[in-house]
Every structure is written in structure tokens, then in C-alpha cells.
């Protein structure tokens, strides 16, 4: 015989997910605020060119994972979610998905935390894209700890132990692979001016 806890009222799955979603939205808004501080520390300079980002439409996403597959295959040469520079998050109870990728912050904490700034973690002067030069990165992880988002949008490659982030497939004429191959057109390039 199973005994019920006489504590607080049981919460249904839908109510729990609704409240958890509200908490996540508040956390995301706080993360965006942290990504663009009102005033950068004195030794930091605001980046002049603000890069585009990958926009995500959850209403169109089918959760197929093609985005992570093409990212890991094209950038790492093998498939695997841990090797993707972006992350598709699936809710195991509902058909709800979210997509995480580097937000190309105006005042990038990861960049300022990197001890090999402008060597291992760089900013493209023309596009403003933040990118990692893997063979210069020593895998210290300071960039991942400095990222204001949870989970961090820059992460360590589990194989090479070097940092990696979504750099919008920098240098690829057709743009990001994930945007090109998303069959549902849930991903798009969002210009800096359109961002919050």
C-alpha cells in the first residue's frame, strides 16, 4: 500500500510545467540583461560591431535534431549532441523544445575572461562574431564559467577539451548549416537591430 504525503497539495504535470516555464522565462530575461551590462568594467570596451544571432521559432520546431547533427558533422567531422555548438533541449513529457546557441553578446564576458584573448577567443572585426581558434585554446574553461547564460552558450569539446561556440559557421558563404538544413524553417538569422 502506497501512502500519500500529507504535505502540500499535489501539483499536476501541466501546472508544474507551466510554473517551471515561467521560472525559465524569468531566468532567460535575467540572462539577457546580464549579457548586455549597463556599464562594462573599466578595462573592458564595448564591441563596435554587433553580430547577428540564430533566431528560433518554437512554434515551427519539430524537435528532429537535424540542427545539432549537421553542426557536429560539419564542424567536428562526427555526429553527436555533445559535439554540436548549439543545443536543442527537449522536454521529455511534452512536445516542447528550445534551442540554445551563442548570443554574441555586446560586451562578451567569455571574451574578457579568456587569458588568451585575441589569440584563442577572438572577435571578427567586420561581422562582430565571437569565435574560438581551437589550436590556440588551452581548455581552461574560464569562458564557460563567465558566460551569463545557463547553460553556458560556450562549452568545452568533450574530446579535444577546447572551447567551442556557435560562430554562425563563420566564413561559410551559405551561412549557418543549422539554418540551411532546418526542414521546418524554425531557425533563421536574426539581425542585431532586431534583438532585445
Amino acid at each position: 500500500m502506497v501512502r500519500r504525503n500529507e504535505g502540500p497539495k499535489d501539483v499536476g504535470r501541466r501546472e508544474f510545467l507551466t510554473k517551471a516555464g515561467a521560472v525559465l522565462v524569468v531566468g532567460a530575461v535575467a540572462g539577457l540583461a546580464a549579457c548586455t551590462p549597463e556599464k562594462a568594467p573599466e578595462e573592458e570596451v564595448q564591441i563596435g560591431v554587433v553580430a547577428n544571432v540564430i533566431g528560433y521559432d518554437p512554434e515551427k520546431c519539430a524537435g528532429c535534431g537535424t540542427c545539432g547533427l549537421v553542426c557536429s558533422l560539419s564542424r567536428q567531422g562526427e555526429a553527436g549532441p555533445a559535439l554540436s555548438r548549439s543545443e536543442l533541449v527537449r522536454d521529455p513529457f511534452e512536445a516542447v523544445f528550445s534551442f540554445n546557441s551563442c548570443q554574441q553578446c555586446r560586451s562578451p564576458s567569455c571574451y574578457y575572461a579568456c587569458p588568451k584573448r585575441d589569440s584563442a577567443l577572438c572577435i571578427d572585426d567586420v561581422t562582430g562574431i565571437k569565435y574560438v581558434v581551437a589550436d590556440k585554446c588551452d581548455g581552461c574553461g574560464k569562458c564557460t564559467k563567465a558566460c551569463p547564460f545557463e547553460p553556458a552558450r560556450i562549452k568545452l569539446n568533450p574530446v579535444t577539451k577546447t572551447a567551442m561556440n556557435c560562430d554562425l559557421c563563420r566564413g561559410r558563404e551559405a551561412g549557418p548549416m543549422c539554418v540551411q538544413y532546418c526542414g521546418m524553417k524554425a531557425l533563421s538569422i536574426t539581425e542585431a537591430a532586431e534583438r532585445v
Side-chain angles (χ1 to χ4, degrees):
M1 181 171 160
V2 177
R3 294 173 57 183
R4 291 193 78 114
N5 185 355
E6 297 297 328
K9 179 185 141 194
D10 288 339
V11 177
R13 185 176 75 189
R14 185 171 302 278
E15 184 181 354
F16 170 77
L17 291 173
T18 301
K19 289 181 180 179
V23 169
L24 291 174
V25 167
V26 169
V29 169
L32 284 173
C35 186
T36 310
E38 290 180 27
K39 182 180 177 189
E42 290 179 19
E43 75 273 5
E44 298 177 11
V45 178
Q46 291 284 328
I47 304 306
V49 180
V50 180
N52 294 333
V53 294
I54 295 178
Y56 171 70
D57 185 347
E59 298 296 319
K60 293 180 179 177
C61 181
C64 66
T66 300
C67 50
L69 179 67
V70 297
C71 178
S72 60
L73 277 173
S74 67
R75 302 308 296 272
Q76 303 302 134
E78 58 184 295
L83 297 174
S84 175
R85 293 162 185 243
S86 60
E87 178 183 31
L88 180 69
V89 181
R90 296 174 175 93
D91 180 327
F93 302 109
E94 305 266 340
V96 177
F97 314 100
S98 60
F99 180 81
N100 299 330
S101 66
C102 181
Q103 293 299 294
Q104 302 293 333
C105 299
R106 291 177 186 268
S107 182
S109 302
C110 59
Y111 173 75
Y112 295 116
C114 180
K116 294 187 170 185
R117 185 182 330 163
D118 296 324
S119 172
L121 187 51
C122 305
I123 300 174
D124 188 297
D125 292 335
V126 176
T127 63
I129 292 172
K130 288 71 177 173
Y131 64 96
V132 175
V133 179
D135 60 351
K136 303 282 186 189
C137 177
D138 63 9
C140 70
K142 290 181 180 177
C143 55
T144 62
K145 292 175 185 156
C147 180
F149 293 93
E150 183 60 40
R153 301 307 195 251
I154 187 168
K155 56 187 180 177
L156 293 181
N157 182 310
V159 178
T160 64
K161 306 299 183 203
T162 56
M164 60 182 190
N165 72 315
C166 174
D167 59 9
L168 302 170
C169 293
R170 182 175 164 265
R172 183 174 185 265
E173 199 170 307
M177 293 282 286
C178 59
V179 173
Q180 181 180 353
Y181 289 98
C182 178
M184 303 305 291
K185 304 298 180 202
L187 301 177
S188 61
I189 293 297
T190 303
E191 293 184 11
E194 299 173 8
R195 286 165 49 198
V196 175

